[in-house]
Amino acid sequence: MELRKIILAGAAALAALSAPALAKDWKTATITLEGAYAPWNLTNADGTLGGFEPELAKVLCERAKIECTLVASDWDGMIPALNAGKFDVIMDALSITEERKQIIDFTIPYAATPAAFATAADSPLAKAAGTGAIIKMTAGQTGVKEIDTLKEAFAGKTIGIQAATVYAKFIYDNFGATSEIREYKTGAERDLDLQNGRIDLGFDDAVYFGNAFAAANGALAFTGPEIVGPIWGEGEGLGIRKADTDLRDKFNEAIKSALADGTVKDLSMKWFKVDVSPAE
């Protein structure tokens, strides 16, 4: 069974066993991030968490009047750990999808970003058909000519993906029959293999790759079109236990405020050089 299915199954079991929580005043909350998905979130040299999401979390917590503690944890165990009560909120570029909504609750989205393939800049796979273009896909959509073209171009190649992500599901669904898929615990581990020629392609969030390309000093580049739309869910939101509707509502109001006054835009321009605010 694929790792992502095992994780979701375990998370669902924990959710089913969780007793409804009593209403809380929510003066404090613990937020988890990976601390290794720059520029969304990263770990500074002094061990503190930085990046777009930690800075946005500070704003949201202030507006929600909650004293927040940020902690780093492994991506692939976040949802089960949330339902087990190890922390109160996931903030890690977590896409809001119907599959995940069966297990946890979400706030409204604070960001929405495209996804894309990356390869070595000098690879024969660079500048595949559609490079520089943007295509929009709906959830479960098939028969997209641009994707069919990429299937042919990438047939027999190895594609690296971070486990348990919406991007992993997309790659398995669309390229699993024609390409070799290799899963990684972190995006950084995948990027290192890509840069060193141990895999042919990577697939991930496009703004994440922008930072990875800078770190690789031009050795990596996009190939094929960027993919946007409901295929990735409603956008990225805070993951919260289903019982904690009061906490969700507090953060919803804070996110609305940060979107309305341009705070999200300002922070995304600082960290991504592009506005990732979700479309209204």
Side-chain angles (χ1 to χ4, degrees):
M1 184 183 293
E2 297 166 10
L3 177 59
R4 61 187 174 84
K5 291 181 179 178
I6 296 172
I7 292 166
L8 287 171
L14 280 171
L17 291 172
S18 299
L22 296 175
K24 292 179 63 174
D25 196 17
W26 291 110
K27 295 296 185 184
T28 63
T30 301
I31 301 175
T32 194
L33 312 95
E34 189 176 357
Y37 197 61
W40 289 89
N41 57 78
L42 54 95
T43 302
N44 296 313
D46 62 0
T48 60
L49 292 166
F52 170 72
E53 288 173 319
E55 290 196 8
L56 179 58
K58 183 176 184 294
V59 172
L60 298 181
C61 292
E62 287 175 351
R63 296 187 184 189
K65 295 181 172 55
I66 299 174
E67 182 179 340
C68 295
T69 301
L70 304 185
V71 298
S73 60
D74 290 341
W75 160 259
D76 55 6
M78 282 184 181
I79 291 178
L82 174 71
N83 280 328
K86 293 186 178 180
F87 35 75
D88 305 303
V89 179
I90 298 173
M91 190 179 193
D92 198 52
L94 186 65
S95 297
I96 305 168
T97 66
E98 291 303 317
E99 188 177 25
R100 287 174 176 156
K101 281 182 178 180
Q102 296 175 32
I103 303 164
I104 61 173
D105 204 353
F106 285 92
T107 62
I108 62 172
Y110 56 83
T113 53
F117 282 98
T119 191
D122 59 357
S123 167
L125 300 175
K127 298 182 180 179
T131 301
I134 297 174
I135 61 172
K136 185 174 183 178
M137 293 182 64
T138 58
Q141 185 177 0
T142 59
V144 178
K145 63 179 182 180
E146 293 91 345
I147 301 302
D148 289 340
T149 298
L150 291 181
K151 285 181 186 178
E152 294 181 11
F154 299 161
K157 305 302 181 182
T158 302
I159 303 173
I161 46 97
Q162 187 174 3
T165 63
V166 290
Y167 309 123
K169 177 174 172 24
F170 172 83
I171 292 298
Y172 276 114
D173 288 349
N174 290 278
F175 294 85
T178 55
S179 299
E180 179 183 344
I181 314 302
R182 189 172 300 173
E183 292 192 1
Y184 292 84
K185 190 177 184 66
T186 69
E189 292 172 345
R190 183 266 324 281
D191 300 342
L192 185 62
D193 272 6
L194 182 59
Q195 191 172 347
N196 289 326
R198 289 187 283 267
I199 59 174
D200 302 298
L201 298 147
F203 190 77
D204 212 318
D205 176 89
V207 295
Y208 163 81
F209 268 143
N211 186 80
F213 292 173
N217 297 314
L220 302 176
F222 287 117
T223 187
E226 289 190 356
I227 304 169
V228 302
I231 184 74
W232 311 130
E234 301 168 30
E236 288 87 6
L238 303 180
I240 295 175
R241 285 182 291 272
K242 284 183 173 290
D244 295 336
T245 56
D246 41 0
L247 181 62
R248 178 203 63 200
D249 293 345
K250 283 177 178 288
F251 276 119
N252 274 343
E253 292 306 311
I255 293 170
K256 289 176 185 177
S257 172
L259 288 169
D261 69 7
T263 299
V264 172
K265 179 180 179 180
D266 291 344
L267 288 175
S268 64
M269 293 302 297
K270 172 184 176 179
W271 287 100
F272 302 132
K273 312 305 180 190
V274 63
D275 184 9
V276 301
S277 303
E280 296 181 1

